[in-house]
Amino acid sequence: MSNTQIQGKDFYNSVLQFYDQAAQFSKLDPGILSQIKACNSIYKVNFPVEVDGHVQVFEGIRVQHSHHKLPSKGGIRYSVYVDEEEVMALATLMTFKCALVDVPFGGAKGASKSTRVPAPWKRWSA
Amino acid sequence: MAWIADTYLAFKFGDTNALGCVTGKPVGQGGIRGRTEATGLGVFFGLRELLADGELLKKLGMTSGMAGKRIIVQGLGNVGYHAAHFCELEGAIITGIAEREGGIFNADGLDVAAVFKHRTESGSILNYPGAQNVAEASQLLEYECDVLLPAALENQIHAGNAARIKARIIAEGANGPTTKDAEKILIERGVVILPDLYLNAGGVTVSYFEWLKNLSNVRFGRMGKRAEEASLRRLVSTIEQTTGKSISAQERELIIQGADETSLVRSGLEDTMIVAYHEIREVMHQIKGIEDLRTAAFYSAIEKVGVSYQSLGIFP
């Protein structure tokens, strides 16, 4: 059940197709529908951390899919395999998830990626 | 998550809302009771709602109610474990559980808590007493069952295995377990999919409750619990005086119970899942052409976001 880069892309494509499938029934302006579909902002940072005496570069990704309500909300994935498109897919889902159940937040998702999983991740994500 | 709140707090000294910067915190650090099992409990409430939906069940040729339904679960993490556990308590039979290292199957049902203990102690789900090992975990998804509950990773049900899935209901505990191609095949075969954006929304719902708790800086139930109990106590006494009969101490304890944080959180979550389910079904009744729960759920959500843009405009 491992996850790869290709799957992140597939996942995001699936989410977009699910969106389009539903959006075709909407009477909203097509421009507004494109705005609702798009990820509003994607932030990426690379930063060094000393782990067990070795300097290791971490990649941080934060996708805010929608600012229609603030704050935007979504968890953080700590993973070796996560990629930008997977985070985009999850952030997109968060927007519609929150709207569906009347939780007044925009959708977002974050990820912290490294080449190997440092032991503290287990503790952090708890 | 406490360390995130702690770090934020250090930079926002004096901000009384600072604890609301992150959710999923431990209860002692501004967290909320009921957050751990929230997503799994939400999955249970959602599935229970579908299993009470006579109209959809008729199409599936299934009887209503959770009791006796055979469920295969993929993933014994936070979501899968709690979802399976609550379904089991309601009478469902958990016949299979798939994990990274393999799967186990027992047509008579597995004791979810005991399987979890077995996996924690032995380091593997395999060789659980009385169950059959399934070496390739993905094979278990294709076993005979009523409900398939993927609660692990995305892209687990794809064009390559969708035709062989025997479940009549797919309950998406995970995010994106079914690809678009797989969904097409499943819908053609009349399988009902309870979509991720609805079914696992219990997690963010209770996170929202945690945020509300942090903004109000008070535990849910702190103000009302005892007042509610006092009122119930007066009611019981009045009934006893009027009828001349008294009830046992055990019955009295059961009746006189004010809502504490856990019961309020669960009540809010249950209401959220029930209301959203019926909103989705209403879309299917109202909008011609929408015949599956996912399209209906997305449609409902898109319209709500659209209303925001219409009333607020696109600026800023």
Side-chain angles (χ1 to χ4, degrees):
Chain A
M1 293 196 287
S2 69
N3 212 7
T4 65
Q5 290 261 339
I6 298 157
Q7 286 186 321
K9 197 179 178 70
D10 286 351
F11 182 24
Y12 186 50
N13 279 335
S14 273
V15 172
L16 293 182
Q17 286 175 42
F18 288 137
Y19 177 88
D20 291 338
Q21 163 80 16
Q24 64 176 323
F25 294 98
S26 176
K27 292 192 176 68
L28 290 166
D29 179 82
I32 292 293
L33 284 170
S34 328
Q35 163 62 9
I36 296 175
K37 181 180 178 181
C39 286
N40 290 176
S41 36
I42 300 168
Y43 304 99
K44 282 178 97 170
V45 286
N46 287 288
F47 57 100
V49 178
E50 193 176 315
V51 182
D52 306 330
H54 301 280
V55 173
Q56 208 178 317
V57 178
F58 282 63
E59 184 183 344
I61 307 170
R62 187 73 186 170
V63 176
Q64 295 182 339
H65 173 262
S66 180
H67 296 150
H68 79 289
K69 284 197 195 302
L70 291 170
S72 58
K73 174 95 178 102
I76 308 163
R77 285 201 75 142
Y78 298 96
S79 174
V80 175
Y81 303 105
V82 67
D83 62 66
E84 187 178 318
E85 274 164 315
E86 183 184 350
V87 185
M88 287 166 78
L90 291 165
T92 307
L93 274 178
M94 281 303 289
T95 293
F96 300 113
K97 195 178 291 190
C98 290
L100 184 66
V101 294
D102 297 326
V103 167
F105 298 139
K109 201 82 185 187
S112 181
K113 184 181 177 179
S114 176
T115 45
R116 67 187 178 91
V117 178
W121 274 12
K122 283 181 184 142
R123 187 160 52 82
W124 290 353
S125 54
Chain B
M1 298 300 160
W3 71 272
I4 295 181
D6 192 39
T7 308
Y8 186 83
L9 206 60
F11 288 104
K12 298 273 182 176
F13 182 73
D15 180 350
T16 51
N17 291 334
L19 270 181
C21 75
V22 63
T23 61
K25 301 180 291 292
V27 173
Q29 302 295 329
I32 194 164
R33 287 162 190 82
R35 176 65 186 86
T36 311
E37 67 274 29
T39 311
L41 184 58
V43 167
F44 163 74
F45 286 139
L47 180 58
R48 190 186 66 181
E49 217 47 33
L50 169 64
L51 290 172
D53 186 335
E55 197 186 329
L56 273 187
L57 291 172
K58 202 176 160 193
K59 279 188 202 160
L60 287 170
M62 282 169 81
T63 54
S64 68
M66 184 75 75
K69 294 291 183 298
R70 297 162 305 151
I71 302 180
I72 290 177
V73 186
Q74 183 196 34
L76 203 57
N78 189 35
V79 180
Y81 171 76
H82 289 289
H85 181 67
F86 286 113
C87 289
E88 190 186 1
L89 287 179
E90 192 84 353
I93 305 164
I94 310 299
T95 54
I97 302 176
E99 253 298 343
R100 245 178 227 106
E101 64 275 14
I104 53 171
F105 182 83
N106 183 342
D108 297 328
L110 299 158
D111 179 336
V112 179
V115 172
F116 186 80
K117 190 163 171 275
H118 164 79
R119 184 165 187 253
T120 311
E121 284 170 2
S122 73
S124 165
I125 201 167
L126 297 168
N127 304 320
Y128 177 72
Q132 168 200 333
N133 282 342
V134 181
E136 186 55 55
S138 59
Q139 287 289 318
L140 197 55
L141 306 182
E142 301 169 16
Y143 275 46
E144 193 84 43
C145 64
D146 298 307
V147 180
L148 180 61
L149 204 169
L153 280 169
E154 48 259 34
N155 303 330
Q156 297 301 302
I157 302 167
H158 43 78
N161 64 4
R164 296 192 302 273
I165 302 283
K166 294 179 189 67
R168 304 295 297 145
I169 295 170
I170 293 175
E172 296 186 337
N175 283 316
T178 315
T179 66
K180 181 79 179 127
D181 296 341
E183 181 171 83
K184 196 161 170 267
I185 298 167
L186 292 162
I187 287 178
E188 273 168 16
R189 292 179 46 225
V191 175
V192 167
I193 302 174
L194 265 171
D196 48 7
L197 80 153
Y198 163 65
L199 199 65
N200 66 31
V204 72
T205 301
V206 175
S207 272
Y208 167 50
F209 298 159
E210 181 177 334
W211 183 70
L212 294 176
K213 177 185 181 178
N214 294 148
L215 297 189
S216 58
N217 280 288
V218 67
R219 161 171 54 83
F220 286 116
R222 179 166 172 182
M223 303 302 285
K225 183 174 188 285
R226 303 294 163 175
E228 199 181 335
E229 289 178 0
S231 166
L232 289 166
R233 200 169 286 117
R234 284 193 296 275
L235 186 69
V236 169
S237 311
T238 310
I239 292 171
E240 283 182 329
Q241 280 164 16
T242 315
T243 59
K245 289 176 186 162
S246 68
I247 62 166
S248 70
Q250 204 184 353
E251 286 169 323
R252 178 185 293 266
E253 205 182 322
L254 209 67
I255 297 169
I256 301 170
Q257 227 175 69
D260 60 9
E261 187 162 89
T262 306
S263 50
L264 287 168
V265 163
R266 288 189 174 185
S267 153
L269 175 59
E270 185 173 5
D271 187 60
T272 301
M273 296 308 290
I274 293 174
V275 168
Y277 183 85
H278 294 282
E279 280 180 12
I280 295 170
R281 292 292 284 132
E282 193 53 29
V283 168
M284 290 171 75
H285 288 132
Q286 297 294 331
I287 310 294
K288 206 168 166 278
I290 296 186
E291 282 163 3
D292 66 283
L293 294 164
R294 189 189 321 272
T295 307
F298 262 97
Y299 177 88
S300 172
I302 290 169
E303 292 302 302
K304 287 182 189 179
V305 179
V307 166
S308 282
Y309 279 115
Q310 275 174 343
S311 44
L312 301 173
I314 51 167
F315 181 82

